[in-house]
Amino acid sequence: MRIDKYLNAVNIVKRRAIAQDMIENKVVKIAGVSVKASRDVKVGDVIEIAFLEKSRFFQVLQIPEVKNVKKNESHLFYKEIEN
């Protein structure tokens, strides 16, 4: 699954357009490298998002098979890592 779709599907960002904008502005990284929107996410990847106040890290636990995941099921697809 593309990273822009993943971020939206598991409710890390509210809309895919926001995810795409964040990727264009190089605030989304995997393994410390800025990614393109077409980058596929794999189980075990650690996604870094550099928000204004601090960076947040999310480890991919599984890839959703549906377009959107219910908010109360988001924890099954990623976990936030403290750094």
Side-chain angles (χ1 to χ4, degrees), residues 4-16 68:
D4 57 342
K5 287 184 179 182
Y6 180 82
L7 292 173
N8 177 245
V10 299
N11 302 307
I12 293 176
V13 296
K14 290 186 179 185
R15 293 191 316 267
R16 185 171 167 201
N68 287 316

Side-chain angles (χ1 to χ4, degrees), residues 14-44:
K14 290 186 179 185
R15 293 191 316 267
R16 185 171 167 201
I18 294 172
Q20 290 172 329
D21 188 48
M22 292 171 77
I23 291 166
E24 284 178 20
N25 289 301
K26 302 193 183 308
V27 297
V28 179
K29 300 177 182 179
I30 293 179
V33 179
S34 295
V35 297
K36 294 182 179 180
S38 61
R39 165 74 152 77
D40 280 333
V41 177
K42 300 178 193 92
V43 173

Side-chain angles (χ1 to χ4, degrees), residues 42-57:
K42 300 178 193 92
V43 173
D45 281 348
V46 176
I47 301 168
E48 175 186 355
I49 301 178
F51 290 103
L52 293 174
E53 63 278 356
K54 69 174 189 168
S55 290
R56 293 175 63 192
F57 298 85

